[in-house]
Amino acid sequence: FFLVTFHISISFFMSTKGSYELPTTAVQKIIHKVNPNVKIKKDAKQAISKAAGIFVLYLAHNANQLCKTAKRSTIQADDILNALEEIEFGDFNEELKTALDTYRTQQQQMKESKKQKKENAKKATSASNSTST
């Protein structure tokens, strides 16, 4: 049942040209970051792009199934990590957890920075109002 459903989902996305492909420029940047000396033909980039898009759909589907099992409607980062385990790509989880922790730390720092700027602006406004009266 799952394979049939997944195949139908893939077929639906495939019928809309380009709707499930990663941009080939992004694919090229990723490839060159890993190996700057590699040359890759246009059709190979497009094949990688399509394969990556299918992988993302498959991963999202598995993560969504985990959400449904947990009676949630929103996919969370942990669902992705668990889905990777489920589809036997769990070897990447440690590196992904590190990247996720870094991302969360950066987001928290940005949030705190915005809050600090807002507080400073509020103090500056109240200070200027008190001196003008």
Side-chain angles (χ1 to χ4, degrees):
F1 173 74
F2 164 72
L3 290 176
V4 171
T5 305
F6 185 70
H7 179 69
I8 290 169
S9 297
I10 295 288
S11 297
F12 171 75
F13 283 106
M14 289 175 71
S15 65
T16 310
K17 183 172 173 41
S19 65
Y20 69 102
E21 295 176 25
L22 296 178
T24 54
T25 54
V27 170
Q28 184 171 353
K29 284 181 183 179
I30 292 168
I31 292 169
H32 284 289
K33 187 173 184 177
V34 174
N35 187 350
N37 300 322
V38 73
K39 292 182 181 178
I40 187 163
K41 289 191 170 202
K42 186 177 179 178
D43 60 340
K45 282 189 276 189
Q46 191 161 10
I48 292 170
S49 173
K50 288 181 182 184
I54 291 169
F55 178 78
V56 169
L57 288 172
Y58 183 60
L59 181 60
H61 173 78
N62 280 282
N64 190 44
Q65 293 301 101
L66 293 171
C67 284
K68 286 182 181 179
T69 301
K71 297 182 179 172
R72 289 184 284 109
S73 60
T74 304
I75 296 173
Q76 299 172 359
D78 289 335
D79 296 321
I80 298 298
L81 297 173
N82 292 330
L84 282 167
E85 285 283 341
E86 196 170 286
I87 64 172
E88 300 180 18
F89 278 86
D91 293 347
F92 297 101
N93 277 359
E94 285 307 313
E95 188 176 339
L96 289 171
K97 285 178 185 177
T98 302
L100 182 59
D101 288 341
T102 301
Y103 171 78
R104 287 177 174 163
T105 300
Q106 290 172 346
Q107 292 300 304
Q108 185 62 33
Q109 289 171 346
M110 287 172 52
K111 185 178 179 181
E112 289 171 2
S113 175
K114 285 181 183 179
K115 184 178 179 182
Q116 188 64 41
K117 285 179 183 178
K118 202 173 195 179
E119 287 176 5
N120 290 344
K122 191 174 184 179
K123 286 179 186 178
T125 302
S126 63
S128 69
N129 286 344
S130 65
T131 59
S132 63
T133 42

